[in-house]
Amino acid sequence: MAALLGAGACSSPAPPENAPRAEVDADWARVPEGTAWGEVSAVDIDSHGHVFVLQRAGRVWEEPFPSDPIEEPVVFMFARNGTLLGRWGIGETVMPHGLSVDEADKVWITDVQREQLLRFSHDGTLEMTLGERGVAGADHTHFGRPADVAFDGDKVFVADGYANSRIIVFDRQGHYLTQWGHEGSGSGGLAIPHSVAVKDGKVYVADRENARIRIYSKAGRLLKSLDTPGYPYAVKPLGQGYFVSLEGRDAGERSGAILRVWRPDGTVERILDAGGKGPTKGHDLAIGADGTIYLADVEGHRVLTLELAQQAKDD
């Protein structure tokens, strides 16, 4: 047995995936010189086409997390051409993770240290919090490092997250409705649901550490489970059953940014390597009305942009 374990431990990691290279713009966001700009963890788009970017202003993901708020703006709003239009969030977050903009242009942020979901107005006024600050839990009033949030009508779907590995659903007033996926890793449950999205009656979940995309009904019934070669950090539906996933790590634990476009039947239509020059780790993505993909690169401290319909390069 020891010999077998030793042989397995010395086996070579899987080679990198040979995916076509995408044409990527790494200089899209026009950030003023001298701005505290750090790990970019999330990105989303409002009803006006403004691009909201969540970044940690020099704070890095290292445990144990500090408890003091970040005293720099963490939310930046850009025009489609990358021009900075506004920034806010000073003193509000400690370790921000996910950002989603709802249909009323409210901005929702998950904070894994605060153990809360925060709802802000479009211009950054804190309007509501869910969860108890700094207190983790697995009941209906606490979170376990919440990762992401999505919306459908009056319902708010929270990917909760690193500790609880569940999808928990509230109404817009914060009243608990239901939950699922918390049975643990393996065939029955989730293992770090890192991203959640809802469209056309389906809930899409990036089941990160199980290396799969799971698609549920809005009531939590599993409709489809799709294995991914790497670890999916984000998933976004395109409509008519098509969706895009983003893998931030491959099977060999190498950081990167692999995009897959999936057909409604669960097969892959195309693959793109969206890694920019230098260290890249895709953490989140948003898709504009014109097909532009905005990719949060948490390792490269930047937003990468690319066109979904572009002709990829093979070199």
Side-chain angles (χ1 to χ4, degrees), residues 20-33:
R21 297 280 299 182
E23 188 71 36
V24 175
D25 183 0
D27 300 313
W28 168 82
R30 302 176 191 172
V31 180
E33 187 176 351

Side-chain angles (χ1 to χ4, degrees), residues 2-40:
L4 289 174
L5 290 174
C10 294
S11 61
S12 300
E17 185 169 2
N18 186 22
R21 297 280 299 182
E23 188 71 36
V24 175
D25 183 0
D27 300 313
W28 168 82
R30 302 176 191 172
V31 180
E33 187 176 351
T35 301
W37 188 258
E39 296 176 343
V40 176

Side-chain angles (χ1 to χ4, degrees), residues 144-214:
R145 295 192 174 182
D148 194 23
V149 60
F151 320 97
D152 183 76
D154 187 48
K155 294 181 179 179
V156 179
F157 295 77
V158 183
D160 178 41
Y162 283 80
N164 289 334
S165 287
R166 64 181 175 176
I167 302 298
I168 184 167
V169 188
F170 303 89
D171 65 19
R172 292 298 179 114
Q173 291 71 48
H175 301 124
Y176 169 82
L177 297 176
T178 188
Q179 63 179 318
W180 69 81
H182 53 288
E183 299 87 354
S185 63
S187 60
L190 300 168
I192 305 187
H194 198 262
S195 172
V196 60
V198 186
K199 193 175 182 65
D200 299 333
K202 296 178 180 178
V203 182
Y204 298 78
V205 179
D207 186 9
R208 197 185 83 183
E209 294 308 300
N210 279 328
R212 64 191 180 192
I213 304 296
R214 301 210 114 185

Side-chain angles (χ1 to χ4, degrees), residues 56-57 59 68-72 74 89-96:
R56 296 175 180 146
R59 181 158 292 177
D68 57 306
I70 298 173
E71 296 298 339
E72 297 282 350
V74 296
I90 297 173
E92 295 286 7
T93 63
V94 181
M95 187 55 70

Side-chain angles (χ1 to χ4, degrees), residues 212-229:
R212 64 191 180 192
I213 304 296
R214 301 210 114 185
I215 304 174
Y216 297 88
S217 72
K218 289 190 292 184
R221 180 171 62 89
L222 181 63
L223 304 176
K224 193 171 291 185
S225 183
L226 304 169
D227 292 337
T228 54

Side-chain angles (χ1 to χ4, degrees), residues 236 238 242-246 258-264 266-272 287 293 308-309:
K236 286 290 186 294
L238 294 169
Y242 286 81
F243 63 95
V244 179
S245 66
L246 167 66
I258 296 293
L259 292 167
R260 299 185 200 278
V261 180
W262 299 78
R263 302 183 184 95
T267 59
V268 175
E269 181 171 279
R270 67 183 315 201
I271 306 169
L272 290 172
I287 305 174
I293 288 183
L308 188 58

